[in-house]
Amino acid sequence: MGPDDPLLLDDDRFHGGNVCLVTGAASGIGRAVALVAAANGLTVVGGDVDESGLAETSERVDGLGFPGQFHGVVADLAEQDDVERLAERAREAGTITYLANVAGLQHVAPIESFPTEQFDRLHDVMVRAPFLLSRAVVPDLRAADHCGAIANMASVHGHYVTSDKVAYNVAKFGVRGLTNSLAAESDGDFRAFSVSTGYVKTPLVVDQIPETARQRGISVDEVVEDVMLGQARATELMEPVEVANQFLYGFSEHAAHLNGTDLRHDDGMVDTYE
Ligand code: NAD
């Protein structure tokens, strides 16, 4: 399967009148979710701070000839006004039926020197914004005459943790709690689930390799082989499109009974050890 190989699903709700709101759509997994949603015919509203990345996502959707339209919205998810404007733009584009909270960032530092501003920013983008967006769109999902869904990007770091990533670890456990909370308040009129993976080949991961090497006093190759793939029964990092396909599967009618749980695709990282 190539990087642009979307899972195409037969679902009556996958059409241009229905909107999939995706955060982090300018890069990595969020961009891949936007592409796979557009490949399945949905209208996609993608929010991100990175304007040029959003433009590139738009070009990719057009270039690949996908049936769904993509609308990029520049928004800083740490700002409540931006988050609410993003939800409003999605509402203007059609019936909000799916929300994928994907945007994220990382900061690597030991707990004694972990900066408060970085802790707050990670929390704002990865927990508070998913809460704000969920709160904004739940009425849309309940009003639609079909069962829409909210999907949150979690991680193996929402199950177990590595050192020097306290904000990220706390955020990923938090987003799983948000998912469960949404499921608890759904009443057959919408669903919520999360997606967890080990390391995926995206800028977020590639960019943190040198700092992780420095922190641990090991080489860049050792970070990939021992830290990222060391606990995985795999030889390759996962591709963004493989993660995105899980979001679309979870949104589809094939996952009609998926609610509150986590789709963990981690090559055995959490369940096995050497
Ligand atoms: P990425 O860096 O490629 O993409 C993240 C996107 O989030 C970027 O486009 C960035 O601009 C956007 N973003 C960051 N701060 C923002 C803000 N304040 N407002 C709006 N947008 C903002 O990273 P990725 O690897 O695709 O990560 C996406 C998600 O997947 C994150 O939640 C991450 O924690 C999670 N995840 C990644 C991996 C991995 O190995 N790459 C594994 C598990 C989970």
Side-chain angles (χ1 to χ4, degrees), residues 23-30 47-50 75-78 101-105 121 125-126 153-157 168 172 195-205 207:
T23 70
S27 178
I29 296 165
D48 207 293
V49 270
D50 177 0
D76 182 350
L77 295 170
N101 286 306
V102 183
L105 63 163
R121 184 148 189 94
V125 174
M126 295 161 78
M153 187 66 204
S155 168
V156 289
H157 295 96
Y168 191 88
K172 291 308 185 188
V195 176
S196 285
T197 66
Y199 290 90
V200 183
K201 220 180 282 174
T202 70
L204 181 141
V205 159
D207 293 350

Side-chain angles (χ1 to χ4, degrees), residues 85-274:
R85 184 172 48 83
L86 177 59
E88 197 45 50
R89 290 289 301 279
R91 204 164 285 123
E92 287 162 14
T95 304
I96 302 177
T97 309
Y98 307 107
L99 165 63
N101 286 306
V102 183
L105 63 163
Q106 180 61 277
H107 189 85
V108 180
I111 196 152
E112 302 95 311
S113 57
F114 204 96
T116 311
E117 316 79 63
Q118 290 297 338
F119 188 94
D120 289 347
R121 184 148 189 94
L122 264 71
H123 186 273
D124 287 351
V125 174
M126 295 161 78
V127 183
R128 186 169 175 266
F131 155 70
L132 292 172
L133 279 175
S134 299
R135 189 175 68 182
V137 307
V138 159
D140 299 89
L141 301 188
R142 287 198 201 275
D145 60 357
H146 46 248
C147 185
I150 297 173
N152 297 315
M153 187 66 204
S155 168
V156 289
H157 295 96
H159 294 265
Y160 72 172
V161 305
T162 49
S163 57
D164 301 335
K165 294 182 183 174
V166 61
Y168 191 88
N169 297 334
V170 171
K172 291 308 185 188
F173 272 79
V175 97
R176 290 192 58 213
L178 171 65
T179 307
N180 291 1
S181 303
L182 289 165
E185 295 194 37
S186 70
D187 197 14
D189 44 6
F190 73 95
R191 296 182 292 109
F193 65 96
S194 57
V195 176
S196 285
T197 66
Y199 290 90
V200 183
K201 220 180 282 174
T202 70
L204 181 141
V205 159
V206 173
D207 293 350
Q208 72 183 268
I209 292 174
E211 180 61 8
T212 304
R214 199 188 61 74
Q215 296 270 349
R216 296 184 181 226
I218 58 178
S219 72
V220 161
D221 285 349
E222 284 169 328
V223 172
V224 177
E225 286 159 22
D226 300 340
V227 180
M228 295 184 170
L229 287 174
Q231 290 301 321
R233 307 297 155 249
T235 52
E236 294 277 339
L237 295 177
M238 208 169 169
E239 293 285 350
V241 68
E242 296 177 276
V243 187
N245 288 343
Q246 299 308 318
F247 277 80
L248 268 291
Y249 159 73
F251 286 151
S252 78
E253 62 188 15
H254 303 285
H257 298 276
L258 177 76
N259 202 3
T261 197
D262 184 46
L263 297 176
R264 176 157 55 82
H265 294 254
D266 66 352
D267 294 295
M269 278 177 89
V270 171
D271 289 328
T272 69
Y273 71 97
E274 283 187 325

Side-chain angles (χ1 to χ4, degrees), residues 17-67:
N18 285 339
V19 171
C20 181
L21 172 53
V22 184
T23 70
S27 178
I29 296 165
R31 171 181 284 162
V33 172
L35 290 172
V36 179
N40 277 282
L42 288 161
T43 293
V44 182
V45 173
D48 207 293
V49 270
D50 177 0
E51 188 170 9
S52 61
L54 286 173
E56 204 182 314
T57 304
S58 186
E59 281 164 25
R60 292 275 292 277
V61 171
D62 292 344
L64 289 162
F66 289 153

